[in-house]
Amino acid sequence: MSICFRPGHERSFGTYPLKGEDLEKAFAAAYEVGYRSFDTAQLYGNEADLGAAIRQANVSTDDLLITTKVHPENYTEEQFLKSVEASLNALGVSKVALLLLHWPDPSGDNRKSLALLRDAKRKGIATEIGVSNFTASMMRDAQSFTNGEIAINQVEFHPLLDQSILLDMSFQTGVPLASFSSVARGEVFKYPQFGQIGIAYGKSAAQVVLRWILQKGVAVNTMSTKPENMRSNFDVMDFVLSSVDMKRIDALTCTNFRCVDKNKVPWTPEWD
């Protein structure tokens, strides 16, 4: 079983764009709710703030699944391990549970950065390794190159985007997916279907969206600064959407709404 799907880890708390006191308060509240998986990245500029929040809450890092991601500017032999060590120092840990390449290599060849990622695991500074924002063909090649060591591909995944190609490749390669922008940055709430479906289960529109993602076999990442929303996002394991409701939601994937595209992040690959 992937590290991201161990009990409690299939629901992760994302820390972007929180910093400072906001992150400290959010971490404490999320931990109280029950979150034990926390996601950050070098790009977010908040690894030190997350480390400070963990210490302030007097929480043992042994209880946590911490994910961080290496920025593409550090995909060199000179910078890769140095940057990861800087991340560990900022977080106040000797290793992270999950270390990801945040984006495909800008060079177009992921083999060098994947080799550096494997080196980090060999050195014991990451328990597991993975990727983020990889296309289906990149997933296949990465899994082959690393002899099956890729533990996750973190991608944009929500009911308003057709990610069936990635999901099919996930099943073929054994590389599970984890979602970011799980509620499409609020776009899903423009569609009354989620709230309508939720009535029958006594659940909110957001909970229906997150449950749909989980039933697709995809781990979820969510972020909120409001404890009531954190609890709601976490409380999605006590109901199962019917096949009829799943198909009703599936129909919305043809919307193909993307939160992350080349207009916002110029170095994105050509999506499937």
Side-chain angles (χ1 to χ4, degrees), residues 134-165:
F134 271 38
T135 65
S137 62
M138 290 175 183
M139 283 173 64
R140 180 193 61 226
D141 293 344
Q143 190 70 322
S144 175
F145 181 79
T146 61
N147 294 316
E149 291 189 62
I150 302 302
I152 204 79
N153 183 16
Q154 188 182 110
V155 297
E156 181 174 345
F157 196 100
H158 51 73
L160 304 183
L161 178 62
D162 184 357
Q163 291 285 41
S164 55
I165 294 175

Side-chain angles (χ1 to χ4, degrees), residues 172-270:
Q172 291 177 35
T173 60
V175 177
L177 301 180
S179 72
F180 66 77
S181 298
S182 302
V183 295
R185 298 183 182 174
E187 186 73 12
V188 296
F189 302 126
K190 296 179 181 179
Y191 294 79
Q193 293 94 321
F194 301 110
Q196 293 166 356
I197 291 171
I199 291 173
Y201 302 91
K203 295 293 183 177
S204 69
Q207 288 173 314
V208 168
V209 169
L210 298 178
R211 186 65 211 179
W212 176 86
I213 294 172
L214 287 167
Q215 285 184 220
K216 287 291 184 180
V218 178
V220 296
N221 284 278
T222 56
M223 189 286 290
S224 177
T225 56
K226 299 178 179 179
E228 61 271 24
N229 289 345
M230 295 178 192
R231 188 168 298 280
S232 176
N233 291 340
F234 194 74
D235 186 21
V236 293
M237 304 301 286
D238 59 351
F239 74 109
V240 176
L241 294 171
S242 70
S243 58
V244 172
D245 288 332
M246 288 292 289
K247 289 179 180 178
R248 185 179 176 190
I249 297 171
D250 288 347
L252 293 172
T253 61
C254 66
T255 305
N256 273 330
F257 173 85
R258 277 195 182 274
C259 298
V260 179
D261 57 24
K262 286 189 179 294
N263 291 326
K264 295 178 181 177
V265 183
W267 58 83
T268 58
E270 293 298 325

Side-chain angles (χ1 to χ4, degrees), residues 53-188:
I54 294 170
R55 291 189 294 274
Q56 181 64 29
N58 196 27
V59 169
S60 171
T61 55
D62 292 339
D63 295 335
L64 305 178
L65 190 163
I66 299 176
T67 298
T68 196
K69 313 176 198 71
V70 182
H71 193 287
E73 68 183 9
N74 292 318
Y75 292 176
T76 66
E77 291 185 7
E78 294 77 19
Q79 292 298 322
F80 195 94
L81 290 177
K82 287 181 181 179
S83 76
V84 176
E85 288 167 357
S87 293
L88 299 182
N89 289 335
L91 288 163
V93 297
S94 59
K95 65 178 179 179
V96 290
L98 193 53
L99 182 68
L100 311 183
L101 300 178
H102 203 158
W103 291 90
D105 197 306
S107 71
D109 184 352
N110 292 308
R111 289 174 296 180
K112 179 178 68 176
S113 49
L114 286 167
L116 293 167
L117 189 66
R118 293 181 78 189
D119 286 344
K121 183 178 179 181
R122 300 290 185 274
K123 291 182 180 296
I125 56 180
T127 302
E128 300 289 348
I129 56 175
V131 297
S132 184
N133 296 299
F134 271 38
T135 65
S137 62
M138 290 175 183
M139 283 173 64
R140 180 193 61 226
D141 293 344
Q143 190 70 322
S144 175
F145 181 79
T146 61
N147 294 316
E149 291 189 62
I150 302 302
I152 204 79
N153 183 16
Q154 188 182 110
V155 297
E156 181 174 345
F157 196 100
H158 51 73
L160 304 183
L161 178 62
D162 184 357
Q163 291 285 41
S164 55
I165 294 175
L166 271 182
L167 199 56
D168 286 345
M169 185 57 71
S170 172
F171 297 144
Q172 291 177 35
T173 60
V175 177
L177 301 180
S179 72
F180 66 77
S181 298
S182 302
V183 295
R185 298 183 182 174
E187 186 73 12
V188 296

